[in-house]
Amino acid sequence: MHYLLVVFIGAFLLFQVQPLIAKLILPYFGGGAAVWTACMLFFQAFLLAGYGYSHALSRIKSVKHQVMLHVILLFISVITLPIGLSEQALLSTYDDSPLLNILYQLMLSVGLPYFVLSSTGPLVQNWYASNHQGKAPYFLYSWSNVASLIALLSFPFVIEPQLSASIQLTVWSVLYGLYVLAFMVISISTYRNHLISSIELTQNLAGVGIENGVAQIDVHTHSFTLTNAFSWVALSSLGVIFLVATTNAITQNVAPIPFLWILPLCLYLLSFIICFHSNRWYIRWYWLVLFVLSSIIAIFLYFIGSQFDLITQVILYSFVLLTACMVCHGELAKTKPAPRYLTHFYLLIALGGFLGSLFVAFIATNVFQQFLEFPLAFIGLLLLLTMVYWRENLSTKYIIAMSLSAVLCASLFSVLLSRYQQNDIFQQRNFYGILTVKDVDVAGKTERRLVDGTTSHGTQYLDESLQQIPLSYYRKGTGGAIAIELMQKTKQTGINVGFVGLGAGALAAYGEKEDHFSFFELNPAVIDAAQRYFTFLAHSKAQIEVIKGDARISIAKNRAQLVNKPFDVLVLDAFSGDSIPQHLLTVEALKLYQQVVSEQGIIAIHISNSHLNLLPLMKGLADKVQLELVYFHTAGKRAESHDTDWVWLTQNNNLIDNPVVKLQSTRVKLSSIEQIVWTDDHSHLMSLLK
């Protein structure tokens, strides 16, 4: 019972802490999808380290010495509790490489406990076998998978909505303490009853499996060769690439909420469980047919996925991910080695997982200008299967089918990519996403667009006589434009305006002489594109200042200076695609903005979004910080124009009663809108889904 308890709690804590700590660290690094990718790299690296540690520990002949070493490690890990983030350390290292900073912060906050937890499964199974001769320990692996799924599914539906972040950290730390105590109990039991050395144990248990509750000898094994080792690493690596790339694809235009992290991870884990539970579950021809179909779907999703609604996207991406992982893990299970190499096999799988995560988080970001790892992974697996089947002398029909499918998918992708990029004049990918500048012809005029992900964040006519006319979400008559123009008319001298998010700099076109416009922008690629490919900043009559870095952090650092010279208008438009940086829309953030905005000023928030209804959040925040809310919905007048939604938060009754505001604002029954309030300690994005 103690062994089961340790394995269950250990697996639960291992997978519970992943979304918990990732969500906590998210605001400090821009709130984008790449934060989860970086976290996955950390998790895979420490999982590999934990497997390596268990493997090395099991090679020690004396179980007594194994127990003593691990107990020392358990004691040391307890000293690091409670887990949590050091805000001072985060702020001090913020300007360096985001990826390296995230890995560093995760190591500080949860590194040692996570390392200990990652070693639990193989180590406890090894010790259980030493105390229970003749009993297969693999039922513990099954229960650990159950615990992992419970942890993943409970977080977005139970833990996150009900508990604040601080309480989650406390509960997790307490459970970890109980886990350590339970581990001490089985350590004492193992210490007293060690009967055989780890080498003898490995030999005696070789080949034992569980099927339908009965211990059996698995005769479906392959030899351990360098060629086989390469295929194991490659298959496991591709499985993780599918996982991370699919998660990126789903979340690049929606905020990276834990549910959209967890669903792909559950599918990945489920495919692993199914394939390694029994050879009967993976029917090769059936899953290969589905995989070829999903490869074609994946290529089309790469180009037109954002045109579907959120539910359709999630269903399609889930289908292609599940089929891809089933093939990867099914082929792994079919080619597992002779029993005496089992620990080597799992180490190679862990190594492949780490390499796959490293490829997406580091190599692809610096080599590819788009999320090419997503479609290329499907083509790559088809080519790998062709080589594997040829080497294993399988039926010719499998080899021909995989090779032809690879050629088909590669050709289809090449043709669609050339058309998709034909209007691109600039493209850059970095930690924060993909930024593209496109020239498109619309109604006889050429427009230049700044596209973040798949969402336009600024449009400008190329005709010099029309260049200073703001378009799209920033055109005249929209909430942001009205706020600036009315404040200019109200004040006799120039106005001071802050912009959270630069985009193409379109709102700079509203600047007048003596105005001072400050743009806060996190992504250096956006600054570069706005200055090189658009003229809004250069031709603005206002004095323009561009400040690199997260707006909330920058404002907090310069609070004293800004209080002395407050903003008349503060515009929040810092979305990446349709993704919402949650840390900019909390009660604490609004209170910070109030300190640097004049008493009669306006906080104008752009809330246009394809997937989220932000109005309940705006109403909740407005009431919480005691500001009036004014809502502007501006319908597109042309086929190519966007419907646009803005909200004002202000206590300037004169502006609220202004005839222009009365005419342009949209009347809504605010009392009927459900109020939602976010704080730094608690936010739940799923409540805003349309």
Side-chain angles (χ1 to χ4, degrees), residues 12-22 43 83 110 114 172:
F12 181 88
L13 292 175
L14 186 72
F15 280 85
Q16 183 77 191
V17 79
Q18 293 183 13
L20 167 59
I21 205 69
F43 299 144
I83 63 169
V110 74
Y114 193 89
W172 192 94

Side-chain angles (χ1 to χ4, degrees), residues 8 42 84 130 143 166 270 326 380 425 555 622 626 629:
F8 194 92
F42 173 85
S130 72
W143 279 106
S166 58
L270 181 63
M326 281 297 298
I425 64 171
I555 290 173
Q626 298 181 339
L629 184 149

Side-chain angles (χ1 to χ4, degrees), residues 429-593:
R429 177 180 179 179
N430 60 15
F431 177 83
Y432 302 104
I434 296 174
L435 200 70
T436 306
V437 178
K438 294 177 176 285
D439 286 347
V440 296
D441 292 328
V442 179
K445 298 183 177 68
T446 303
E447 295 179 358
R448 177 162 291 177
R449 295 178 178 175
L450 181 68
V451 181
D452 191 339
T454 58
T455 303
S456 174
H457 282 266
T459 303
Q460 184 176 38
Y461 288 125
L462 288 187
D463 187 332
E464 291 186 4
S465 63
L466 304 174
Q467 281 187 347
Q468 289 305 102
I469 300 177
L471 303 173
S472 187
Y473 301 110
Y474 316 105
R475 61 188 183 270
K476 283 185 176 294
T478 56
I482 295 172
I484 296 172
E485 291 178 327
L486 282 183
M487 193 60 71
Q488 288 170 330
K489 293 178 181 178
T490 301
K491 293 193 67 175
Q492 299 297 321
T493 58
I495 63 172
N496 186 24
V497 184
F499 300 88
V500 179
L502 173 60
L507 289 172
Y510 293 101
E512 298 291 346
K513 190 176 181 181
E514 297 184 1
D515 290 347
H516 185 275
F517 284 7
S518 301
F519 290 88
F520 299 91
E521 177 54 51
L522 176 66
N523 189 346
V526 172
I527 298 174
D528 182 46
Q531 294 175 340
R532 290 175 57 191
Y533 297 99
F534 299 86
T535 63
F536 290 121
L537 297 178
H539 293 169
S540 177
K541 297 178 183 178
Q543 180 183 348
I544 301 295
E545 181 182 11
V546 179
I547 304 165
K548 180 182 176 298
D550 180 86
R552 183 172 169 182
I553 294 175
S554 298
I555 290 173
K557 287 182 177 179
N558 298 281
R559 182 178 347 200
Q561 178 183 349
L562 292 172
V563 167
N564 293 327
K565 189 180 179 182
F567 295 121
D568 298 297
V569 181
L570 180 63
V571 178
L572 270 66
D573 181 36
F575 307 146
S576 174
D578 279 330
S579 179
I580 304 300
Q582 293 169 254
H583 69 297
L584 298 179
L585 298 176
T586 65
V587 171
E588 293 84 353
L590 263 293
K591 289 181 177 179
L592 173 64
Y593 304 151

Side-chain angles (χ1 to χ4, degrees), residues 27 118 171 176 231 239 326 446 456 481 530 558 620 636 671:
S118 67
V171 171
Y176 184 82
S231 68
M326 281 297 298
T446 303
S456 174
N558 298 281
S671 60

Side-chain angles (χ1 to χ4, degrees), residues 280 298 602:
R280 295 200 301 264
I602 302 171

Side-chain angles (χ1 to χ4, degrees), residues 10-197:
F12 181 88
L13 292 175
L14 186 72
F15 280 85
Q16 183 77 191
V17 79
Q18 293 183 13
L20 167 59
I21 205 69
K23 184 182 178 182
L24 288 177
I25 208 168
L26 190 68
Y28 296 95
F29 295 92
V35 175
W36 177 246
T37 302
C39 291
M40 282 297 295
L41 174 60
F42 173 85
F43 299 144
Q44 290 289 342
F46 270 63
L47 185 65
L48 174 61
Y51 272 55
Y53 164 76
S54 298
H55 177 74
L57 202 63
S58 68
R59 300 278 71 82
I60 299 176
K61 293 184 178 182
S62 171
V63 175
K64 172 182 176 181
H65 292 157
Q66 293 181 29
V67 169
M68 292 176 62
L69 288 173
H70 195 68
V71 166
I72 292 173
L73 183 62
L74 287 170
F75 272 118
I76 296 174
S77 70
V78 170
I79 298 175
T80 66
L81 297 179
I83 63 169
L85 301 178
S86 169
E87 185 169 348
Q88 182 177 1
L90 282 163
L91 295 178
S92 65
T93 62
Y94 183 78
D95 292 331
D96 298 330
S97 166
L99 175 59
L100 295 179
N101 279 340
I102 289 174
L103 298 178
Y104 172 69
Q105 294 301 331
L106 289 172
M107 189 177 299
L108 287 180
S109 60
V110 74
L112 189 53
Y114 193 89
F115 172 78
V116 171
L117 290 170
S118 67
S119 68
T120 301
L123 189 58
V124 171
Q125 290 181 56
N126 186 23
W127 288 2
Y128 175 87
S130 72
N131 277 357
H132 302 79
Q133 281 187 303
K135 293 184 179 181
Y138 298 107
F139 75 95
L140 296 173
Y141 174 73
S142 300
W143 279 106
S144 72
N145 290 326
V146 172
S148 300
L149 286 174
I150 292 174
L152 289 174
L153 294 174
S154 65
F155 187 84
F157 298 111
V158 179
I159 305 299
E160 185 190 22
Q162 302 298 327
L163 302 179
S164 66
S166 58
I167 293 178
Q168 291 177 45
L169 291 171
T170 301
V171 171
W172 192 94
S173 299
V174 170
L175 287 176
Y176 184 82
L178 294 176
Y179 156 84
V180 170
L181 289 176
F183 216 128
M184 292 297 181
V185 173
I186 67 170
S187 297
I188 294 172
S189 175
T190 303
Y191 179 84
R192 290 175 176 175
N193 301 291
H194 65 278
L195 303 172
I196 54 175
S197 69

